[in-house]
């Protein structure tokens, strides 16, 4: 059974994630930053937390450029078991240290149900990665957390499947769900993924939940991050997530899509007129 939300076909059983009982936009407030209101949230930082110096340098750089939320992976979902898997608890401690110094709230990924208590003790926002979008036991567990959850779109997930996963979190009682488009797999080979900018207007028509767009994983290519961040904001995204590394050439993960502090500063300058043009603010 499908119902029409605006002119889009949505399964009738999705109740909480769609504009049905709730029509007002969900606005999530974290330490003075609001996601889903008139602010455009900029989440930035390294793909992975590597060491204290790297994390603090990245945190200072993104803060100086105007980001409001600091990202960094302590538990990394890597394609091969031989690649750097993240620092785990030590990475969470370094993130917390960077938050203490800069005042920026943090977002980091939790990959398994057994780590939810640990990660939620440190982070301000729990991230569910693309590869875990349909890990239903993980979704149920973070649905019982009192921390906001950012749910990334699976690399081959439809909008309705993605919304179904948001429904898992919401149905456990956690109302603070953020959706994050990070590109989907298509036949294209030049880019790492095909960034589906239509996620912003489509999700906003169907759902009250905020939408963040990640042009770093969405393209896999440093030079494409700025134009796609601009496009995301122009299309109505509630924020963007951008990977920034003090020295991208030496990054242990995703260096090719990571921006240097100077490049990130350039992006922040470049998006300001777009933010004003859509009547929003940083
Ligand atoms: C990330 O943001 O660190 C990440 C691994 O992204 P994704 O789950 O979108 O691949
Ligand atoms: Mn990454």
């Amino acid at each position: 059974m499908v119902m029409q939300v605006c002119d889009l076909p949505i399964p009738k059983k999705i109740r909480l994630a769609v504009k049905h009982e709730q029509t007002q936009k969900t606005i999530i407030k974290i330490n003075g930053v609001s996601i889903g209101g008139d602010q455009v949230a900029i989440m930035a930082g390294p793909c992975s937390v590597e060491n204290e110096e790297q994390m603090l340098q990245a945190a200072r750089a993104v803060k100086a450029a105007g980001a409001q939320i600091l990202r960094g992976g302590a538990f990394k979902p890597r394609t091969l078991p031989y690649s750097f898997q993240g620092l785990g608890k030590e990475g969470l401690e370094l993130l917390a240290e960077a938050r203490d110094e800069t005042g920026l709230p943090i977002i980091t990924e939790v990959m398994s149900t057994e780590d939810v208590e640990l990660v939620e003790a440190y982070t301000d926002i729990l991230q569910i990665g693309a590869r875990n979008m349909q890990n239903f036991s993980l979704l149920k567990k973070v649905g019982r957390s009192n921390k906001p959850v950012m749910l990334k779109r699976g690399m081959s997930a439809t909008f309705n499947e993605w919304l179904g996963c948001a429904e898992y979190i919401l149905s456990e009682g956690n109302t603070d769900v953020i959706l994050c488009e990070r590109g989907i797999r298509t036949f294209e080979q030049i880019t790492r993924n095909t960034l589906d900018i239509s996620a912003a207007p489509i999700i906003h028509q169907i759902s009250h939940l905020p939408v963040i767009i990640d042009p770093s994983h969405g393209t896999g290519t440093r030079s494409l991050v700025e134009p796609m961040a601009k496009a995301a904001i122009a299309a109505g995204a509630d924020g963007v997530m951008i990977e920034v590394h003090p020295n991208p050439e030496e990054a242990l993960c995703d260096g090719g899509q990571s921006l240097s502090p100077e490049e990130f500063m350039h992006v922040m300058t470049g998006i300001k007129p777009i933010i004003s043009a859509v009547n929003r603010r940083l």
Side-chain angles (χ1 to χ4, degrees), residues 13-18 21-22 167 170-172 208-209:
K13 284 187 175 161
I14 303 182
R15 290 186 303 111
L16 303 171
V18 299
E21 284 155 27
Q22 179 180 344
E167 191 82 9
L170 295 163
S171 66
E172 292 292 329
H208 49 84
L209 298 172

Side-chain angles (χ1 to χ4, degrees), residues 12-39:
K12 221 175 176 169
K13 284 187 175 161
I14 303 182
R15 290 186 303 111
L16 303 171
V18 299
K19 288 182 190 166
H20 179 52
E21 284 155 27
Q22 179 180 344
T23 51
Q24 298 268 64
K25 265 193 92 174
T26 291
I27 300 179
I28 297 164
K29 296 199 170 77
I30 306 131
N31 299 359
V33 187
S34 342
I35 305 178
D38 64 351
Q39 238 179 327

Side-chain angles (χ1 to χ4, degrees), residues 47 217 243 254 257:
C47 180
H217 294 89
E243 288 189 338
D254 287 351
Q257 66 193 35

Side-chain angles (χ1 to χ4, degrees), residues 47 71 76-77 109 127 129-131 152 182 214 217 241 243:
C47 180
R71 68 148 286 145
K76 292 305 303 174
E109 178 164 352
Q127 176 170 316
R131 291 156 191 80
K152 288 192 129 189
R182 46 77 73 205
D214 173 349
H217 294 89
M241 171 174 260
E243 288 189 338

Side-chain angles (χ1 to χ4, degrees), residues 227-282:
M228 295 310 266
K230 287 176 171 167
I233 295 164
D238 297 298
V240 289
M241 171 174 260
I242 295 179
E243 288 189 338
V244 179
H245 192 285
N247 187 354
E249 306 315 317
E250 283 175 18
L252 296 180
C253 183
D254 287 351
Q257 66 193 35
S258 299
L259 304 186
S260 67
E262 297 71 33
E263 288 161 340
F264 181 61
M265 189 70 92
H266 192 270
V267 172
M268 291 299 289
T269 306
I271 61 177
K272 279 180 189 150
I274 315 285
I275 293 175
S276 311
V278 293
N279 292 321
R280 297 182 82 159
R281 64 187 176 88
L282 267 182

Side-chain angles (χ1 to χ4, degrees), residues 16-185:
L16 303 171
V18 299
K19 288 182 190 166
H20 179 52
E21 284 155 27
Q22 179 180 344
T23 51
Q24 298 268 64
K25 265 193 92 174
T26 291
I27 300 179
I28 297 164
K29 296 199 170 77
I30 306 131
N31 299 359
V33 187
S34 342
I35 305 178
D38 64 351
Q39 238 179 327
V40 173
I42 313 293
M43 305 178 172
C47 180
S48 313
V49 182
E50 298 172 4
N51 56 59
E52 186 179 37
E53 199 191 344
Q54 171 253 11
M55 194 59 230
L56 289 177
Q57 282 180 5
R60 289 174 193 138
V62 303
K63 162 105 181 175
Q68 312 102 326
I69 298 170
L70 179 63
R71 68 148 286 145
F75 293 91
K76 292 305 303 174
R78 302 305 301 276
T79 304
L80 288 175
Y82 315 114
S83 304
F84 177 60
Q85 302 284 304
L87 297 178
K89 185 167 190 279
E90 189 194 339
L92 298 173
E93 283 162 3
L94 295 176
L95 276 168
E97 185 185 339
R99 171 182 50 205
D100 290 347
E101 191 191 298
T102 59
L104 297 178
I106 55 183
I107 177 166
T108 197
E109 178 164 352
V110 57
M111 282 173 54
S112 82
T113 50
E114 68 209 29
D115 294 327
V116 172
E117 281 90 0
L118 173 69
V119 178
E120 73 186 348
Y122 285 89
T123 199
D124 298 291
I125 308 174
L126 292 160
Q127 176 170 316
I128 301 295
R131 291 156 191 80
N132 267 319
M133 185 198 82
Q134 282 186 317
N135 181 337
F136 299 116
S137 38
L138 183 59
L139 299 179
K140 285 184 190 170
K141 184 126 188 207
V142 297
R144 295 191 288 272
S145 174
N146 58 10
K147 293 282 166 79
V149 177
M150 188 172 88
L151 176 67
K152 288 192 129 189
R153 181 181 182 181
M155 59 187 86
S156 44
T158 65
F159 288 119
N160 284 335
E161 286 163 344
W162 189 18
L163 288 167
C165 294
E167 191 82 9
Y168 264 89
I169 303 169
L170 295 163
S171 66
E172 292 292 329
N174 192 341
T175 54
D176 288 348
V177 177
I178 304 157
L179 296 167
C180 177
E181 162 65 41
R182 46 77 73 205
I184 50 175
R185 273 271 162 93

